[in-house]
Amino acid sequence: MVNILVTGGAGYIGSVTSEALIARGHRVTVLDNLVTGHREAVHPEAAFVEADIRDREAVSAAVRDRQVEATLHFAALSLVGESMERPHDYFENNTVGTLELLGSLERAGVRKFVLSSTAALFGTPESVPIAEDARIAPESVYGETKYLIERTLAWLATGGLGYAALRYFNAAGASETYGEDHRPESHLIPLVLQVAAGQRERISVFGDDYPTVDGSCLRDYIHVRDLADAHVLAVESLRPGERRSYNLGNGRGFSVFEVIEACRRVTGCEVASEVVGRRAGDPATLVADSGKIKRELGWQPRHHDLDEIVGSAWNWRQRHPHGYSG
């Protein structure tokens, strides 16, 4: 058993990962300011601290009182478009906030750190699938904030910090208990399911003239439970002073039109869609090469099927038609 601090544990991926950690017998403390997270998403067996990662006293007290040995860091602002409109907020919250958190952890002697990173580091890829050694060239403030954190971690590792940076592609799906409830929602699958549920009139498809199988963008969708498993493996195997970076995806791309059709199949509902202009900065294809974490940690995604991923999200949405609020 490891005593683990999960920042952002009231959010989407943090809540599902906390659930997986507790199922493995670990002792979890969730620290979340609830700006974007939900108190209902905190596992009942986890201790909860409502605080910001920049609150040195609160972080230090949580680490001391719960004898924290490792940290999984999910807390962040994460909307790419919003980051371009509010760059200062993103640098302050994500990069500066993480530096404050790392300082508190260092003073407390916590030397294992798993970062929720992102495929946004790579910008428009030179080739796909994308491996960890691909050119890093963020095209958004959000991606840049995560890259700066990764660079900081690499320097801190020279002083003994062990870290793993997990670069996700498109997280999707839900566990039996915890699911996706962003406000506003920006992810494709929950947006399409809102149309199926009659909560949204139609889904917009941003461009149908890309060099892909049907003209819409291709993305690598990975089940959130598989992401959680990767975090568990990373924190359980991490040692002080180690430096790791892993890409997390299924290794297969699904187009926007394929996702919409999967939602129609799973829900049995009509889903109106409309093609609109491309969004600036949307690469045609983003697919992960996750061979490194499979070789080094034995990770294997268990939920490859798009209908299964969509089905888990739809089941959660039916139990929570208005998210955690209802």
Side-chain angles (χ1 to χ4, degrees):
M1 181 188 77
V2 179
N3 296 328
I4 300 173
L5 178 69
V6 179
T7 72
Y12 173 40
I13 303 172
S15 64
V16 178
T17 302
S18 295
E19 181 181 37
L21 290 168
I22 290 169
R24 288 278 293 178
H26 298 298
R27 188 171 182 239
V28 170
T29 300
V30 168
L31 187 141
D32 198 300
N33 62 12
L34 299 182
V35 171
T36 58
H38 307 276
R39 182 64 180 86
E40 301 88 340
V42 177
H43 195 287
E45 294 181 29
F48 176 62
V49 178
E50 184 175 349
D52 192 279
I53 56 174
R54 292 166 288 190
D55 186 336
R56 295 183 181 184
E57 291 186 7
V59 172
S60 297
V63 170
R64 180 186 64 248
D65 295 346
R66 298 286 288 181
Q67 300 179 319
V68 168
E69 303 161 82
T71 299
L72 272 62
H73 180 38
F74 297 94
L77 298 175
S78 60
L79 299 178
V80 171
E82 182 182 72
S83 77
M84 303 301 286
E85 299 169 357
R86 298 168 48 198
H88 183 275
D89 290 346
Y90 272 69
F91 284 115
E92 171 67 26
N93 186 83
N94 294 2
T95 307
V96 176
T98 302
L99 287 173
E100 289 284 353
L101 172 66
L102 287 166
S104 298
L105 297 174
E106 182 179 26
R107 287 186 290 273
V110 180
R111 300 166 74 83
K112 298 179 183 179
F113 190 86
V114 179
L115 173 67
S116 167
S117 193
T118 175
L121 267 65
F122 299 110
T124 301
E126 296 176 332
S127 61
V128 290
I130 304 169
E132 288 82 1
D133 59 359
R135 178 180 64 96
I136 292 180
E139 295 177 358
S140 69
V141 171
Y142 170 64
E144 187 70 24
T145 65
K146 293 289 188 174
Y147 182 41
L148 291 173
I149 295 168
E150 287 202 24
R151 287 173 57 84
T152 299
L153 291 172
W155 285 106
L156 293 179
T158 63
L161 176 71
Y163 78 89
L166 305 187
R167 301 163 177 171
Y168 324 151
F169 282 62
N170 286 54
S175 73
E176 289 295 318
T177 310
Y178 303 110
E180 197 164 6
D181 184 10
H182 300 115
R183 304 181 188 185
E185 186 56 70
S186 63
H187 292 174
L188 178 61
I189 289 176
L191 286 174
V192 179
L193 293 180
Q194 286 178 9
V195 179
Q199 297 170 331
R200 183 179 294 269
E201 186 176 348
R202 62 176 57 86
I203 189 71
S204 295
V205 179
F206 295 98
D208 63 353
D209 56 350
Y210 287 93
T212 60
V213 62
D214 57 20
S216 65
C217 290
L218 259 67
R219 295 292 182 265
D220 188 331
Y221 292 90
I222 177 170
H223 199 292
V224 66
R225 293 180 68 180
D226 289 327
L227 283 180
D229 289 345
H231 285 82
V232 173
L233 288 171
V235 74
E236 289 181 343
S237 63
L238 193 60
R239 299 292 178 267
E242 288 185 330
R243 310 179 189 189
R244 301 180 182 177
S245 58
Y246 297 120
N247 288 352
L248 297 177
N250 270 321
R252 176 185 173 187
F254 293 99
S255 75
V256 175
F257 287 123
E258 287 176 320
V259 169
I260 294 171
E261 192 55 41
C263 291
R264 289 173 176 146
R265 285 194 303 270
V266 167
T267 66
C269 300
E270 293 294 325
V271 175
S273 64
E274 63 174 348
V275 176
V276 297
R278 290 188 182 191
R279 290 184 300 197
D282 266 351
T285 302
L286 290 176
V287 177
D289 176 352
S290 300
K292 184 179 177 184
I293 191 171
K294 293 176 181 177
R295 293 189 302 271
E296 294 188 3
L297 301 186
W299 177 74
Q300 288 291 339
R302 296 173 294 161
H303 309 281
H304 298 279
D305 183 72
L306 181 59
D307 283 17
E308 179 188 2
I309 294 173
V310 170
S312 68
W314 180 240
N315 289 339
W316 189 86
R317 177 61 57 178
Q318 288 183 301
R319 294 192 298 272
H320 303 85
H322 302 289
Y324 286 106
S325 63

